[in-house]
Amino acid sequence: MTQVKALILTGFGLNCDHETALAFELAGARPYRVHINSLVDGTVNLADFHILAFGGGFSWGDDHGAGVIQAVKLKNHIGKDLLGFVDAGKLIIGICNGFQALVNTGLLPGLDKDYTRRSVAITYNDCGNFRDQWVHLTANLESPCVFTRGMDKADFPVRHGEGKFIAEPDVLTALQANGQVVFQYADATGSPAGGAFPFNPNGSLHDIAGICDPTGKIFGLMPHPEAYNHVTNHPDWPRRKQQLKGEGQAFGEQETIGIRLFQNGVDHIRERFF
């Protein structure tokens, strides 16, 4: 079977490429870890791939702002290739630092199908420090997002110092009206956090943890789905193990919500291109 090819960016401070590659592999794709310079110098052709992943890390040490230099480098050198990738109906996912890069390139939120204009920002956490914790998320079932199809909630970890999503009121209204708000930080009951710390770890407006473009094919989020690639990643796994044992079920064979997110993307490409 022809495999779905996923390109995962590496280099210059990015540090989640191995985890992201594993997640795509578990989801049935063939991952390729590619240094950014290989796209810039033409050694690797972006058009040969079906999914592009902007992974987590600290690209260029977050100098001049998280994701800013990565966005400028890619936009200046392969901007036309990125727009061609979008026009071809292929998928892009940006996680944490990758989400920051996507909003700085203008690929998100893509209002009015304009993928060159920056209209939202991700800035310093309200708490004033780096947050490394697991968060509850509520998902928008009405969103066109390809990656979250069929999801109503999820738990993923966050690891960031600049995760606060901000935008002008009219932009926030448009994102909500279009269904582009994909994930919101939630409390233990699954209700939006209402800005309450630590459920909302950074102070994001409207508890926004992830957005997509109007087509649902470009998706960015601050939490790390690739870090939930096995049931034992979750901090509550010992309790869950005992619960399943009591129900006479095996533990450790379940697919995580993190892998399902990547699986949704891979399945979409198979339906669309094969």
Side-chain angles (χ1 to χ4, degrees), residues 78-113:
I78 62 165
K80 291 183 179 179
D81 295 335
L82 288 170
L83 294 178
F85 196 83
V86 172
D87 288 341
K90 297 179 179 181
L91 303 183
I92 299 177
I93 183 170
I95 303 166
C96 196
N97 192 250
F99 184 18
Q100 295 159 341
L102 287 181
V103 303
N104 284 311
T105 61
L107 288 169
L108 281 176
L111 293 173
D112 300 320
K113 300 293 181 71

mmCIF file of all heavy atoms in Angstrom, residues 78-113:
data_model
loop_
_atom_site.group_PDB
_atom_site.id
_atom_site.type_symbol
_atom_site.label_atom_id
_atom_site.label_comp_id
_atom_site.label_asym_id
_atom_site.label_seq_id
_atom_site.Cartn_x
_atom_site.Cartn_y
_atom_site.Cartn_z
ATOM 1 N N ILE A 78 10.566 29.527 1.404
ATOM 2 C CA ILE A 78 9.676 28.546 0.761
ATOM 3 C C ILE A 78 8.209 28.962 0.913
ATOM 4 O O ILE A 78 7.319 28.109 0.936
ATOM 5 C CB ILE A 78 9.899 27.125 1.317
ATOM 6 C CG1 ILE A 78 9.577 27.060 2.817
ATOM 7 C CG2 ILE A 78 11.298 26.636 1.035
ATOM 8 C CD1 ILE A 78 9.422 25.634 3.332
ATOM 9 N N GLY A 79 7.976 30.257 1.001
ATOM 10 C CA GLY A 79 6.607 30.742 1.168
ATOM 11 C C GLY A 79 5.672 30.254 0.073
ATOM 12 O O GLY A 79 4.541 29.834 0.345
ATOM 13 N N LYS A 80 6.120 30.274 -1.172
ATOM 14 C CA LYS A 80 5.283 29.825 -2.286
ATOM 15 C C LYS A 80 5.020 28.323 -2.196
ATOM 16 O O LYS A 80 3.922 27.853 -2.525
ATOM 17 C CB LYS A 80 5.940 30.177 -3.618
ATOM 18 C CG LYS A 80 5.970 31.672 -3.914
ATOM 19 C CD LYS A 80 6.570 31.953 -5.280
ATOM 20 C CE LYS A 80 6.580 33.453 -5.576
ATOM 21 N NZ LYS A 80 7.199 33.732 -6.904
ATOM 22 N N ASP A 81 6.025 27.570 -1.747
ATOM 23 C CA ASP A 81 5.843 26.127 -1.578
ATOM 24 C C ASP A 81 4.792 25.829 -0.512
ATOM 25 O O ASP A 81 3.975 24.916 -0.661
ATOM 26 C CB ASP A 81 7.166 25.456 -1.203
ATOM 27 C CG ASP A 81 8.208 25.555 -2.305
ATOM 28 O OD1 ASP A 81 7.815 25.700 -3.477
ATOM 29 O OD2 ASP A 81 9.401 25.492 -1.990
ATOM 30 N N LEU A 82 4.827 26.592 0.580
ATOM 31 C CA LEU A 82 3.839 26.395 1.650
ATOM 32 C C LEU A 82 2.427 26.689 1.150
ATOM 33 O O LEU A 82 1.490 25.930 1.419
ATOM 34 C CB LEU A 82 4.170 27.299 2.836
ATOM 35 C CG LEU A 82 5.395 26.909 3.669
ATOM 36 C CD1 LEU A 82 5.735 28.025 4.658
ATOM 37 C CD2 LEU A 82 5.152 25.607 4.412
ATOM 38 N N LEU A 83 2.282 27.774 0.393
ATOM 39 C CA LEU A 83 0.965 28.114 -0.132
ATOM 40 C C LEU A 83 0.498 27.080 -1.156
ATOM 41 O O LEU A 83 -0.689 26.751 -1.227
ATOM 42 C CB LEU A 83 0.995 29.506 -0.754
ATOM 43 C CG LEU A 83 1.243 30.668 0.225
ATOM 44 C CD1 LEU A 83 1.309 31.996 -0.525
ATOM 45 C CD2 LEU A 83 0.152 30.716 1.294
ATOM 46 N N GLY A 84 1.440 26.544 -1.938
ATOM 47 C CA GLY A 84 1.102 25.487 -2.886
ATOM 48 C C GLY A 84 0.661 24.219 -2.174
ATOM 49 O O GLY A 84 -0.249 23.509 -2.632
ATOM 50 N N PHE A 85 1.294 23.926 -1.047
ATOM 51 C CA PHE A 85 0.944 22.768 -0.230
ATOM 52 C C PHE A 85 -0.494 22.908 0.270
ATOM 53 O O PHE A 85 -1.275 21.960 0.243
ATOM 54 C CB PHE A 85 1.925 22.686 0.941
ATOM 55 C CG PHE A 85 1.965 21.372 1.658
ATOM 56 C CD1 PHE A 85 2.724 20.320 1.168
ATOM 57 C CD2 PHE A 85 1.278 21.186 2.844
ATOM 58 C CE1 PHE A 85 2.787 19.099 1.834
ATOM 59 C CE2 PHE A 85 1.324 19.985 3.520
ATOM 60 C CZ PHE A 85 2.080 18.927 3.014
ATOM 61 N N VAL A 86 -0.835 24.123 0.713
ATOM 62 C CA VAL A 86 -2.193 24.400 1.182
ATOM 63 C C VAL A 86 -3.187 24.284 0.033
ATOM 64 O O VAL A 86 -4.255 23.665 0.169
ATOM 65 C CB VAL A 86 -2.266 25.802 1.820
ATOM 66 C CG1 VAL A 86 -3.709 26.183 2.142
ATOM 67 C CG2 VAL A 86 -1.409 25.864 3.080
ATOM 68 N N ASP A 87 -2.852 24.870 -1.112
ATOM 69 C CA ASP A 87 -3.747 24.838 -2.268
ATOM 70 C C ASP A 87 -4.018 23.417 -2.743
ATOM 71 O O ASP A 87 -5.085 23.130 -3.298
ATOM 72 C CB ASP A 87 -3.152 25.652 -3.425
ATOM 73 C CG ASP A 87 -3.198 27.149 -3.182
ATOM 74 O OD1 ASP A 87 -3.988 27.586 -2.319
ATOM 75 O OD2 ASP A 87 -2.436 27.887 -3.848
ATOM 76 N N ALA A 88 -3.060 22.514 -2.527
ATOM 77 C CA ALA A 88 -3.214 21.121 -2.943
ATOM 78 C C ALA A 88 -4.120 20.328 -2.007
ATOM 79 O O ALA A 88 -4.398 19.150 -2.256
ATOM 80 C CB ALA A 88 -1.847 20.447 -3.032
ATOM 81 N N GLY A 89 -4.584 20.961 -0.927
ATOM 82 C CA GLY A 89 -5.482 20.293 0.003
ATOM 83 C C GLY A 89 -4.789 19.357 0.959
ATOM 84 O O GLY A 89 -5.436 18.474 1.553
ATOM 85 N N LYS A 90 -3.484 19.542 1.149
ATOM 86 C CA LYS A 90 -2.739 18.707 2.073
ATOM 87 C C LYS A 90 -2.855 19.263 3.493
ATOM 88 O O LYS A 90 -3.444 20.323 3.706
ATOM 89 C CB LYS A 90 -1.292 18.597 1.610
ATOM 90 C CG LYS A 90 -1.168 17.917 0.243
ATOM 91 C CD LYS A 90 0.262 17.814 -0.235
ATOM 92 C CE LYS A 90 0.332 17.116 -1.583
ATOM 93 N NZ LYS A 90 1.742 16.978 -2.063
ATOM 94 N N LEU A 91 -2.308 18.537 4.455
ATOM 95 C CA LEU A 91 -2.518 18.879 5.859
ATOM 96 C C LEU A 91 -1.275 19.479 6.507
ATOM 97 O O LEU A 91 -0.149 19.065 6.203
ATOM 98 C CB LEU A 91 -2.934 17.641 6.649
ATOM 99 C CG LEU A 91 -4.178 16.897 6.183
ATOM 100 C CD1 LEU A 91 -4.474 15.740 7.133
ATOM 101 C CD2 LEU A 91 -5.382 17.828 6.090
ATOM 102 N N ILE A 92 -1.506 20.419 7.413
ATOM 103 C CA ILE A 92 -0.428 21.011 8.213
ATOM 104 C C ILE A 92 -0.867 20.999 9.671
ATOM 105 O O ILE A 92 -1.995 21.386 9.984
ATOM 106 C CB ILE A 92 -0.120 22.453 7.778
ATOM 107 C CG1 ILE A 92 0.332 22.501 6.317
ATOM 108 C CG2 ILE A 92 0.960 23.065 8.687
ATOM 109 C CD1 ILE A 92 0.586 23.905 5.787
ATOM 110 N N ILE A 93 0.032 20.552 10.535
ATOM 111 C CA ILE A 93 -0.224 20.605 11.974
ATOM 112 C C ILE A 93 0.950 21.303 12.654
ATOM 113 O O ILE A 93 2.112 21.041 12.318
ATOM 114 C CB ILE A 93 -0.459 19.199 12.577
ATOM 115 C CG1 ILE A 93 -0.796 19.309 14.071
ATOM 116 C CG2 ILE A 93 0.727 18.270 12.328
ATOM 117 C CD1 ILE A 93 -1.278 18.005 14.693
ATOM 118 N N GLY A 94 0.647 22.211 13.562
ATOM 119 C CA GLY A 94 1.667 22.916 14.332
ATOM 120 C C GLY A 94 1.416 22.714 15.809
ATOM 121 O O GLY A 94 0.319 23.007 16.297
ATOM 122 N N ILE A 95 2.413 22.200 16.518
ATOM 123 C CA ILE A 95 2.267 21.868 17.926
ATOM 124 C C ILE A 95 3.191 22.749 18.756
ATOM 125 O O ILE A 95 4.394 22.796 18.506
ATOM 126 C CB ILE A 95 2.604 20.387 18.174
ATOM 127 C CG1 ILE A 95 1.710 19.480 17.318
ATOM 128 C CG2 ILE A 95 2.464 20.040 19.654
ATOM 129 C CD1 ILE A 95 2.195 18.041 17.236
ATOM 130 N N CYS A 96 2.638 23.463 19.726
ATOM 131 C CA CYS A 96 3.397 24.308 20.644
ATOM 132 C C CYS A 96 4.225 25.340 19.863
ATOM 133 O O CYS A 96 3.667 26.251 19.289
ATOM 134 C CB CYS A 96 4.249 23.439 21.574
ATOM 135 S SG CYS A 96 4.886 24.309 23.029
ATOM 136 N N ASN A 97 5.532 25.192 19.814
ATOM 137 C CA ASN A 97 6.354 26.121 19.042
ATOM 138 C C ASN A 97 5.929 26.135 17.574
ATOM 139 O O ASN A 97 6.002 27.167 16.897
ATOM 140 C CB ASN A 97 7.826 25.742 19.165
ATOM 141 C CG ASN A 97 8.769 26.809 18.652
ATOM 142 O OD1 ASN A 97 9.426 26.635 17.618
ATOM 143 N ND2 ASN A 97 8.861 27.921 19.364
ATOM 144 N N GLY A 98 5.448 24.998 17.093
ATOM 145 C CA GLY A 98 4.947 24.937 15.729
ATOM 146 C C GLY A 98 3.683 25.743 15.533
ATOM 147 O O GLY A 98 3.477 26.362 14.480
ATOM 148 N N PHE A 99 2.821 25.762 16.546
ATOM 149 C CA PHE A 99 1.624 26.603 16.515
ATOM 150 C C PHE A 99 2.031 28.070 16.479
ATOM 151 O O PHE A 99 1.487 28.871 15.706
ATOM 152 C CB PHE A 99 0.783 26.288 17.746
ATOM 153 C CG PHE A 99 -0.553 26.995 17.829
ATOM 154 C CD1 PHE A 99 -1.155 27.565 16.729
ATOM 155 C CD2 PHE A 99 -1.216 27.076 19.058
ATOM 156 C CE1 PHE A 99 -2.395 28.194 16.829
ATOM 157 C CE2 PHE A 99 -2.443 27.701 19.174
ATOM 158 C CZ PHE A 99 -3.037 28.268 18.057
ATOM 159 N N GLN A 100 3.003 28.427 17.296
ATOM 160 C CA GLN A 100 3.502 29.801 17.319
ATOM 161 C C GLN A 100 4.049 30.204 15.947
ATOM 162 O O GLN A 100 3.821 31.323 15.474
ATOM 163 C CB GLN A 100 4.581 29.921 18.390
ATOM 164 C CG GLN A 100 4.055 29.716 19.810
ATOM 165 C CD GLN A 100 5.137 29.334 20.804
ATOM 166 O OE1 GLN A 100 6.217 28.879 20.431
ATOM 167 N NE2 GLN A 100 4.858 29.506 22.095
ATOM 168 N N ALA A 101 4.754 29.275 15.292
ATOM 169 C CA ALA A 101 5.291 29.568 13.960
ATOM 170 C C ALA A 101 4.169 29.734 12.936
ATOM 171 O O ALA A 101 4.229 30.616 12.069
ATOM 172 C CB ALA A 101 6.247 28.456 13.524
ATOM 173 N N LEU A 102 3.128 28.911 13.027
ATOM 174 C CA LEU A 102 2.032 28.993 12.063
ATOM 175 C C LEU A 102 1.298 30.325 12.152
ATOM 176 O O LEU A 102 0.925 30.900 11.122
ATOM 177 C CB LEU A 102 1.046 27.847 12.285
ATOM 178 C CG LEU A 102 1.493 26.455 11.850
ATOM 179 C CD1 LEU A 102 0.394 25.437 12.118
ATOM 180 C CD2 LEU A 102 1.881 26.432 10.378
ATOM 181 N N VAL A 103 1.075 30.835 13.367
ATOM 182 C CA VAL A 103 0.384 32.116 13.467
ATOM 183 C C VAL A 103 1.282 33.258 12.993
ATOM 184 O O VAL A 103 0.794 34.270 12.479
ATOM 185 C CB VAL A 103 -0.148 32.395 14.889
ATOM 186 C CG1 VAL A 103 -1.074 31.288 15.347
ATOM 187 C CG2 VAL A 103 0.962 32.604 15.887
ATOM 188 N N ASN A 104 2.586 33.082 13.144
ATOM 189 C CA ASN A 104 3.511 34.125 12.680
ATOM 190 C C ASN A 104 3.684 34.128 11.165
ATOM 191 O O ASN A 104 3.993 35.171 10.579
ATOM 192 C CB ASN A 104 4.865 33.970 13.371
ATOM 193 C CG ASN A 104 4.851 34.465 14.803
ATOM 194 O OD1 ASN A 104 4.384 35.565 15.089
ATOM 195 N ND2 ASN A 104 5.341 33.654 15.728
ATOM 196 N N THR A 105 3.491 32.989 10.518
ATOM 197 C CA THR A 105 3.537 32.964 9.052
ATOM 198 C C THR A 105 2.241 33.500 8.453
ATOM 199 O O THR A 105 2.217 33.925 7.300
ATOM 200 C CB THR A 105 3.730 31.532 8.518
ATOM 201 O OG1 THR A 105 2.630 30.720 8.936
ATOM 202 C CG2 THR A 105 5.044 30.923 8.971
ATOM 203 N N GLY A 106 1.144 33.446 9.232
ATOM 204 C CA GLY A 106 -0.163 33.811 8.702
ATOM 205 C C GLY A 106 -0.940 32.616 8.186
ATOM 206 O O GLY A 106 -2.092 32.770 7.747
ATOM 207 N N LEU A 107 -0.340 31.408 8.229
ATOM 208 C CA LEU A 107 -1.065 30.218 7.789
ATOM 209 C C LEU A 107 -2.266 29.947 8.695
ATOM 210 O O LEU A 107 -3.240 29.322 8.285
ATOM 211 C CB LEU A 107 -0.127 29.007 7.771
ATOM 212 C CG LEU A 107 0.910 28.998 6.644
ATOM 213 C CD1 LEU A 107 1.949 27.908 6.859
ATOM 214 C CD2 LEU A 107 0.221 28.815 5.288
ATOM 215 N N LEU A 108 -2.204 30.398 9.918
ATOM 216 C CA LEU A 108 -3.340 30.397 10.838
ATOM 217 C C LEU A 108 -3.573 31.818 11.322
ATOM 218 O O LEU A 108 -2.606 32.543 11.535
ATOM 219 C CB LEU A 108 -3.067 29.477 12.038
ATOM 220 C CG LEU A 108 -3.259 27.989 11.808
ATOM 221 C CD1 LEU A 108 -2.857 27.207 13.062
ATOM 222 C CD2 LEU A 108 -4.697 27.636 11.419
ATOM 223 N N PRO A 109 -4.830 32.220 11.437
ATOM 224 C CA PRO A 109 -6.051 31.424 11.246
ATOM 225 C C PRO A 109 -6.563 31.342 9.820
ATOM 226 O O PRO A 109 -7.546 30.655 9.561
ATOM 227 C CB PRO A 109 -7.055 32.143 12.127
ATOM 228 C CG PRO A 109 -6.641 33.573 12.078
ATOM 229 C CD PRO A 109 -5.135 33.546 12.019
ATOM 230 N N GLY A 110 -5.951 32.050 8.864
ATOM 231 C CA GLY A 110 -6.387 31.956 7.472
ATOM 232 C C GLY A 110 -7.775 32.509 7.218
ATOM 233 O O GLY A 110 -8.499 32.007 6.349
ATOM 234 N N LEU A 111 -8.152 33.546 7.955
ATOM 235 C CA LEU A 111 -9.467 34.153 7.753
ATOM 236 C C LEU A 111 -9.604 34.655 6.321
ATOM 237 O O LEU A 111 -8.662 35.223 5.744
ATOM 238 C CB LEU A 111 -9.673 35.300 8.743
ATOM 239 C CG LEU A 111 -9.767 34.902 10.214
ATOM 240 C CD1 LEU A 111 -9.793 36.142 11.100
ATOM 241 C CD2 LEU A 111 -11.001 34.032 10.468
ATOM 242 N N ASP A 112 -10.776 34.436 5.730
ATOM 243 C CA ASP A 112 -11.045 34.826 4.337
ATOM 244 C C ASP A 112 -10.064 34.173 3.372
ATOM 245 O O ASP A 112 -9.773 34.722 2.299
ATOM 246 C CB ASP A 112 -10.994 36.354 4.180
ATOM 247 C CG ASP A 112 -12.015 37.057 5.055
ATOM 248 O OD1 ASP A 112 -13.146 36.560 5.162
ATOM 249 O OD2 ASP A 112 -11.667 38.100 5.654
ATOM 250 N N LYS A 113 -9.538 33.005 3.759
ATOM 251 C CA LYS A 113 -8.583 32.232 2.950
ATOM 252 C C LYS A 113 -7.306 33.021 2.644
ATOM 253 O O LYS A 113 -6.627 32.777 1.648
ATOM 254 C CB LYS A 113 -9.245 31.784 1.644
ATOM 255 C CG LYS A 113 -10.481 30.911 1.826
ATOM 256 C CD LYS A 113 -10.135 29.572 2.432
ATOM 257 C CE LYS A 113 -11.390 28.703 2.581
ATOM 258 N NZ LYS A 113 -11.918 28.224 1.302
#
